[in-house]
């Protein structure tokens, strides 16, 4: 506890006890009169009792005890109120120079409802958008619209999962994808969506499940219809084994290894083979079977890619195969492969999922070979199917698909993700990616990729707890400046006084204020208006969400 807070508590406690005794004396005198007068002037009352022999009312003793206990009980409420008032007061200066009430209307329920009816006229009782937070000092919600993608940057322990991810998943009108590398939010989402459809839980690293058998199976090769698809899948496997800023290795072998892996993926997909077969080809440094399959299906270009590697000098061929094996190292894990093949478990159909109200929870540990590549392949497969369904439906999904990519930088290594932000929202594919810092995003997608993702997001939310001066300075610049006026007076030698006014431009919110935002406060940058300060509401403080989560969980237990 710091000195200021300790002094505040001590002062509040002293005032509370004094006021309680003061009132108890008058209450006691009314109950048990002594024939003396008791002044309402607290100083005179103290003098009468302590110096002038005025008797103590008998009933004042129990009344004092009750009053003191009551004041002690009310003290925490007073301190909490004062803390909220202080936090709001600190934000008041910034609020006055950010989005005005008329400007905020585009984020609120009325405008978002009109927008939703225009985007999805055939859907009844659809939420008007995704709740982000309440306008500070009010109970009025600000919403992210159904055509907007989002990027959320929250420092460690700032409540992004409890206040946003869970809320977005539970309030989604259609299908939902949620990703994570830990158990946070999983129980709540499973319980809160249990009545909406089927729950699919991908958890090869047994982060949440105890069972060793897969909950369902999905073969990423099932979605490979072209060389471009195979190249994207190979890119995902490559990204899962290294960060975008990793400069190690040989650029030539990286390119050749990725091209070889893509060709082998395509061959296996064309012949309805498994990922285990792909790894066998890589482990044996042999791709003759794949080359024959590609030629049989008229894929001359990919066949020549395999042929070029097989006919290269031994050292070159070995280096290319070694590079491809590194990229596909996850396929050496038999436990992971059980999630991609077999008939005993449910089979996951991305196309059917997109038009359902089902939930896909994807969990994986960080690092190479952990399952991150398969997780990302699942996200990609659903996204690609959603694109096709939207195109057949006039360019937009009938009901939005919500994709909450929590811990995005750690486990969703999808190189194409930044480019998708520019058009997925317009198709009704609502992407929200969550990062603990800008540095995380840069490590995962490279500096240009991160900037493309950040710039293309129509909704950007900063939740505090970040110590990146450069990033915070960019946010301060986005919020803008305000005029700061100071007044001064001076006296000349003759005693004449004069006054002066100085106006200078200062940041509406400085770096230190952004770094140390009060708990549950966020700054929302939306393309429709100037920034606003919001207060988020974690699910456990939301009566409706809490009931939807705890009641099914209690029944299951």
């Amino acid at each position: 506890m710091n000195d200021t807070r300790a002094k505040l508590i001590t002062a509040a406690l002293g005032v509370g006890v004094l006021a309680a005794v003061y009132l108890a004396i008058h209450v006691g005198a009314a109950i048990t009169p002594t024939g003396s007068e008791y002044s309402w002037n607290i100083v005179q009352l103290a003098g009468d009792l302590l110096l002038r022999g005025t008797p103590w009312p008998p009933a004042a003793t129990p009344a004092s005890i009750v009053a003191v206990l009551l004041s002690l009980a009310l003290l925490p409420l007073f301190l909490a109120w004062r803390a909220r008032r202080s936090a709001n007061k600190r934000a008041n200066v910034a609020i006055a120079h950010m989005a005005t009430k008329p400007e905020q209307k585009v984020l609120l329920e009325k405008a978002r409802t009109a927008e939703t009816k225009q985007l999805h006229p055939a859907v009844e009782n659809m939420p008007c958008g995704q709740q982000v937070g309440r306008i500070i000092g009010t109970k009025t919600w600000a919403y992210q619209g159904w055509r907007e993608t989002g990027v959320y940057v929250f420092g460690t322990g700032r409540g992004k999962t409890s206040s946003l991810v869970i809320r977005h998943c539970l309030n989604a009108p259609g299908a939902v994808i949620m990703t994570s590398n830990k158990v946070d939010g999983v129980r709540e989402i499973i319980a809160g969506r249990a009545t909406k459809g089927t729950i699919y839980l991908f958890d090869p690293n047994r982060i949440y499940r105890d069972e060793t058998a897969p909950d369902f199976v999905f073969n990423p090769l099932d979605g490979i219809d072209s060389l471009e698809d195979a190249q994207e899948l190979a890119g995902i496997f490559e990204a899962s084994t290294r960060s975008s800023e990793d400069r190690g290795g040989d650029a030539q072998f990286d390119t050749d290894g990725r091209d070889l892996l893509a060709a082998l993926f395509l061959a296996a997909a064309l012949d309805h083979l498994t990922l285990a077969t792909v790894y066998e080809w890589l482990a044996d440094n042999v791709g003759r079977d794949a080359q024959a399959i590609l030629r049989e299906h008229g894929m001359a270009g990919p066949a020549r890619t395999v042929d070029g590697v097989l006919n290269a000098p031994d050292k070159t061929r070995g280096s290319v195969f070694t590079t491809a094996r590194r990229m596909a190292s996850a396929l050496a894990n038999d436990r992971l492969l059980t999630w991609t093949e077999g008939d005993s478990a449910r089979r996951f159909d991305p196309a059917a999922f997109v038009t359902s109200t089902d939930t896909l929870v994807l969990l994986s540990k960080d690092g190479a070979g952990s399952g991150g590549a398969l997780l990302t392949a699942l996200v990609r497969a659903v996204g690609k199917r959603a694109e096709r369904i939207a195109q057949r439906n006039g360019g937009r999904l009938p009901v939005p698909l919500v994709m909450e990519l929590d811990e995005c930088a750690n486990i969703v290594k999808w190189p194409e993700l930044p480019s998708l932000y520019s058009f997925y929202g317009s198709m009704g594919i609502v992407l929200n990616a969550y990062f603990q810092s800008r540095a995380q995003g840069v490590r995962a997608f490279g500096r240009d990729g991160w900037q493309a993702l950040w710039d293309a997001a129509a909704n950007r939310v900063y939740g505090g707890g970040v110590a990146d001066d450069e990033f915070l300075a960019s946010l301060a610049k986005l919020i803008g400046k305000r005029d700061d006026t100071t007044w001064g007076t001076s006296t000349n030698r003759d005693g004449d006084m004069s006054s002066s006014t100085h106006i200078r431009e200062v940041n509406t919110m400085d770096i230190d204020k952004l770094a140390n935002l009060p708990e549950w406060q966020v700054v929302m940058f939306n393309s429709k208006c100037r920034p606003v300060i919001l207060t988020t509401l974690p699910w456990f403080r939301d009566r409706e969400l809490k009931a939807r989560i705890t009641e099914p969980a209690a029944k299951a237990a």
Side-chain angles (χ1 to χ4, degrees):
M1 183 184 298
N2 58 43
D3 291 342
T4 301
R5 183 169 175 80
K7 290 176 181 178
L8 173 63
I9 293 175
T10 302
L13 183 61
V15 171
V17 169
L18 186 62
V21 173
Y22 170 75
L23 291 174
I25 292 170
H26 287 283
V27 171
I31 296 173
T32 55
T34 64
S36 300
E37 293 290 332
Y38 294 88
S39 175
W40 288 97
N41 183 311
I42 191 169
V43 176
Q44 182 176 339
L45 178 63
D48 290 342
L49 291 168
L50 298 174
L51 302 175
R52 288 182 281 276
T54 299
W56 177 268
T61 299
S64 296
I65 294 173
V66 171
V68 169
L69 291 176
L70 183 61
S71 67
L72 291 176
L74 293 176
L75 179 62
L77 297 178
F78 165 76
L79 294 174
W81 169 82
R82 184 177 176 87
R84 286 195 299 269
R85 184 173 179 271
S86 177
N88 289 342
K89 185 176 180 181
R90 288 195 300 271
N92 279 344
V93 173
I95 293 169
H97 295 86
M98 295 170 76
T100 63
K101 287 186 177 180
E103 290 172 332
Q104 293 171 7
K105 288 182 179 179
V106 295
L107 307 177
L108 308 185
E109 184 176 6
K110 184 177 180 180
R112 291 300 196 187
T113 298
E115 180 183 68
T116 299
K117 288 180 179 179
Q118 184 264 325
L119 293 172
H120 300 277
V123 183
E124 296 182 0
N125 301 319
M126 183 169 159
C128 66
Q130 293 184 304
Q131 292 176 321
V132 178
R134 293 167 167 174
I135 303 295
I136 191 168
T138 76
K139 292 187 177 182
T140 304
W141 282 96
Y143 294 83
Q144 177 178 323
W146 291 121
R147 66 169 47 161
E148 297 174 347
T149 53
V151 174
Y152 292 75
V153 179
F154 280 58
T156 304
R158 296 291 298 186
K160 60 181 170 54
T161 303
S162 60
S163 63
L164 291 162
V165 177
I166 293 172
R167 178 177 298 278
H168 291 173
C169 289
L170 266 58
N171 291 337
V176 168
I177 292 178
M178 178 266 197
T179 68
S180 187
N181 60 0
K182 53 186 181 295
V183 298
D184 294 4
V186 177
R187 181 191 69 86
E188 291 81 8
I189 290 170
I190 290 175
R193 298 236 353 141
T195 60
K196 286 200 170 185
T198 302
I199 306 290
Y200 294 94
L201 178 56
F202 177 81
D203 188 14
N205 300 123
R206 299 173 68 186
I207 295 171
Y208 182 82
R209 299 170 78 243
D210 289 327
E211 298 87 348
T212 55
D215 182 54
F216 64 90
V217 294
F218 169 73
N219 185 355
L221 298 178
D222 292 343
I224 303 300
D225 299 323
S226 65
L227 177 60
E228 290 76 15
D229 288 333
Q231 289 171 332
E232 278 196 36
L233 184 60
I236 287 172
F237 272 81
E238 178 187 21
S240 72
T241 61
R242 66 193 306 176
S243 70
S244 290
E245 302 230 317
D246 185 353
R247 303 302 181 191
D250 188 299
Q252 177 186 344
F253 290 140
D254 285 349
T255 300
D256 290 346
R258 184 174 59 250
D259 288 345
L260 174 63
L261 182 59
L264 300 185
F265 279 153
L266 181 59
L270 291 172
D271 221 33
H272 305 290
L273 301 174
T274 65
L275 289 171
T277 301
V278 173
Y279 199 73
E280 286 176 12
W281 290 336
L282 290 172
D284 295 339
N285 282 17
V286 176
R288 296 293 179 194
D289 290 344
Q291 184 185 44
I293 293 169
L294 291 168
R295 292 195 183 281
E296 180 183 343
H297 286 84
M299 297 290 180
R304 281 194 291 271
T305 295
V306 178
D307 186 58
V309 174
L310 294 177
N311 292 324
D314 290 346
K315 185 176 180 180
T316 301
R317 182 175 68 251
S319 295
V320 174
F321 268 94
T322 298
T323 301
R325 278 198 304 275
R326 171 180 59 79
M327 295 176 181
S329 59
L331 301 184
N333 188 329
D334 292 334
R335 186 181 68 250
L336 288 179
L337 291 181
T338 62
W339 290 78
T340 69
E341 56 192 57
D343 300 322
S344 58
R346 297 179 293 175
R347 299 199 72 83
F348 180 78
D349 182 350
F353 174 81
V354 170
T355 56
S356 72
T357 55
D358 296 341
T359 304
L360 179 60
V361 177
L362 304 175
L363 304 177
S364 175
K365 292 181 180 178
D366 308 347
S370 63
L374 296 183
L375 180 152
T376 306
L378 262 164
V379 175
R380 175 196 174 275
V382 174
K384 292 300 179 181
R385 293 300 175 186
E387 285 183 42
R388 296 180 188 180
I389 292 171
Q391 289 162 356
R392 292 198 298 268
N393 191 57
R396 188 169 184 83
L397 291 174
V399 179
L401 165 66
V402 171
M403 304 174 77
E404 295 288 303
L405 307 183
D406 200 1
E407 300 294 341
C408 181
N410 293 321
I411 55 176
V412 189
K413 302 293 184 67
W414 189 3
E416 283 72 32
L417 185 63
S419 64
L420 301 178
Y421 261 72
S422 63
F423 68 93
Y424 258 27
S426 66
M427 304 182 90
I429 307 171
V430 183
L431 278 171
N432 286 323
Y434 295 82
F435 301 88
Q436 292 180 4
S437 65
R438 179 187 63 165
Q440 260 198 347
V442 171
R443 278 198 307 272
F445 300 104
R447 188 167 294 275
D448 291 342
W450 160 259
Q451 198 61 47
L453 188 149
W454 176 259
D455 290 344
N459 196 57
R460 289 161 282 179
V461 179
Y462 169 70
V466 172
D468 182 345
D469 288 358
E470 184 180 347
F471 178 63
L472 296 178
S474 71
L475 296 184
K477 188 174 181 180
L478 286 175
I479 293 170
K481 295 183 178 292
R482 62 179 178 85
D483 289 337
D484 180 58
T485 304
T486 58
W487 293 269
T489 60
S490 60
T491 305
N492 61 23
R493 273 187 258 178
D494 297 327
D496 297 327
M497 184 177 291
S498 63
S499 61
S500 60
T501 303
H502 300 279
I503 300 176
R504 64 190 181 104
E505 275 195 339
V506 297
N507 287 329
T508 299
M509 289 191 76
D510 285 325
I511 289 176
D512 63 319
K513 296 292 192 301
L514 288 166
N516 300 290
L517 281 179
E519 188 177 22
W520 308 117
Q521 274 190 21
V522 302
V523 182
M524 178 176 175
F525 302 84
N526 191 276
S527 60
K528 289 181 175 290
C529 75
R530 295 167 65 202
V532 293
I533 298 180
L534 307 176
T535 303
T536 60
L537 185 65
W539 70 267
F540 48 82
R541 293 182 184 170
D542 185 314
R543 186 174 300 175
E544 181 187 352
L545 285 188
K546 188 174 181 179
R548 289 167 59 186
I549 290 169
T550 57
E551 290 174 8
K555 290 178 182 178

